[in-house]
Amino acid sequence: MNKVDLNCDLGESFGRYTLGMDEEVIPLVSSANIACGYHASDPVVMERTVGLAAGAGIGIGAHPGFPDLMGFGRRNMNVTPAEAKAYVTYQLGALYGFCRSKGVKLQHVKPHGALYNMAGKDAKLAEAIVEAVYEFDSDIILLGLSGSEMIRAAQRKGLRCANEFFADRGYEEDGSLVDRRKEGAMITDEDFAVKRLVRVIKENKIATVTGKDIDMKIDSVCVHGDGAKALAFVEKIRQKLADEGIAVVPLSEMV
């Protein structure tokens, strides 16, 4: 039977500012990437989000990013590998504290935004992130862009890793995501997006922004639930996966 993990970035509210629909989306996914306070979130939000995910019985992951609340972690930063490693370790420790207090396991780590994209192509940065995770807890799964430098670094280190796919993002021929500033970066045709998702799960192939097919292995699909329409899209994905006989399981069952 085909199976896949569905993950979503959650816990991104901050203070009086509410972002996302965490309570509505958590029942629809199998893994949660919870912001750790650098690009979004705060201690109160983190504790609440871990509690919601734990109550739903879904996999809990840390979502560390650059220290850039104003830019939501989406701006590239000029940091050394050693600095990036320290940033990830610090944020892992923060989320782990809440997981420990709730009696739940920290399943995975998925870097956020610019850190994720930069480490997808920068081998040294990828190695630093992998070292941070491995030294913190070698049982934690690294979730990274399919076929990226992060995946290769994890494989070299012997750290469990999972290949991620974005349901609503366009892909370049090298397997990287189309830059958000370029045409074709976001997939707005939901039927096309769902059909493309089923194909990549069953055939391990995807059409890029240029129309060329490339091979792609995936273990987890990132879905976004920060809006009523986005939430309906997640529900549509769940229904289509069920219709196609594709089981939705936590990341720990994929790798």
Side-chain angles (χ1 to χ4, degrees):
M1 171 187 268
N2 287 304
K3 57 184 180 180
V4 73
D5 169 61
L6 285 186
N7 77 77
C8 187
D9 302 343
L10 299 167
E12 294 179 328
S13 297
F14 177 76
R16 296 178 62 189
Y17 300 95
T18 301
L19 181 65
M21 303 173 70
D22 292 1
E23 290 188 31
E24 291 82 1
V25 77
I26 280 177
L28 300 174
V29 298
S30 47
S31 294
N33 317 310
I34 300 177
C36 303
Y38 262 21
H39 76 277
S41 195
D42 59 43
V44 174
V45 171
M46 290 169 69
E47 181 177 40
R48 178 176 179 274
T49 311
V50 168
L52 288 171
I58 65 174
I60 295 173
H63 198 35
F66 282 134
D68 181 22
L69 279 172
M70 189 175 291
F72 198 66
R74 287 181 175 161
R75 298 183 292 193
N76 288 6
M77 292 186 69
N78 184 16
V79 301
T80 66
E83 288 171 328
K85 180 180 177 181
Y87 293 165
V88 172
T89 301
Y90 179 86
Q91 293 173 86
L92 277 174
L95 193 72
Y96 174 78
F98 293 112
C99 289
R100 181 70 182 268
S101 70
K102 301 292 183 184
V104 293
K105 181 179 175 64
L106 184 58
Q107 171 189 254
H108 69 280
V109 175
K110 172 189 168 181
H112 166 81
L115 179 61
Y116 180 99
N117 292 328
M118 289 172 66
K121 295 184 177 182
D122 185 326
K124 294 293 185 184
L125 191 58
E127 286 174 3
I129 292 171
V130 166
E131 285 178 6
V133 177
Y134 189 87
E135 292 173 8
F136 186 88
D137 183 348
S138 60
D139 288 333
I140 292 176
I141 301 165
L142 178 75
L143 181 57
L145 188 67
S146 179
S148 67
E149 289 293 342
M150 274 199 291
I151 297 297
R152 287 189 279 274
Q155 291 170 337
R156 288 193 297 270
K157 189 71 174 177
L159 181 70
R160 286 195 298 165
C161 56
N163 291 278
E164 184 176 32
F165 176 77
F166 289 80
D168 60 355
R169 294 293 303 276
Y171 280 80
E172 300 283 8
E173 291 184 8
D174 65 356
S176 64
L177 298 175
V178 176
D179 189 288
R180 286 179 179 270
R181 294 166 294 185
K182 293 174 59 177
E183 186 176 348
M186 304 303 298
I187 305 298
T188 56
D189 184 332
E190 293 183 357
D191 291 331
F192 171 76
V194 173
K195 184 178 179 180
R196 187 183 73 152
L197 171 58
V198 170
R199 184 188 181 211
V200 76
I201 293 172
K202 291 189 170 184
E203 302 177 21
N204 298 128
K205 288 190 178 296
I206 182 177
T208 65
V209 70
T210 64
K212 178 183 177 180
D213 273 357
I214 60 171
D215 295 328
M216 183 170 290
K217 178 187 183 300
I218 73 164
D219 303 298
S220 184
V221 180
C222 181
V223 294
H224 295 104
D226 51 349
K229 187 175 181 182
L231 193 63
F233 180 43
V234 180
E235 293 172 338
K236 189 172 187 175
I237 288 174
R238 285 294 304 242
Q239 185 59 56
K240 183 63 174 178
L241 293 178
D243 292 344
E244 294 287 337
I246 300 169
V248 174
V249 301
L251 199 57
S252 57
E253 293 185 29
M254 290 299 302
V255 295

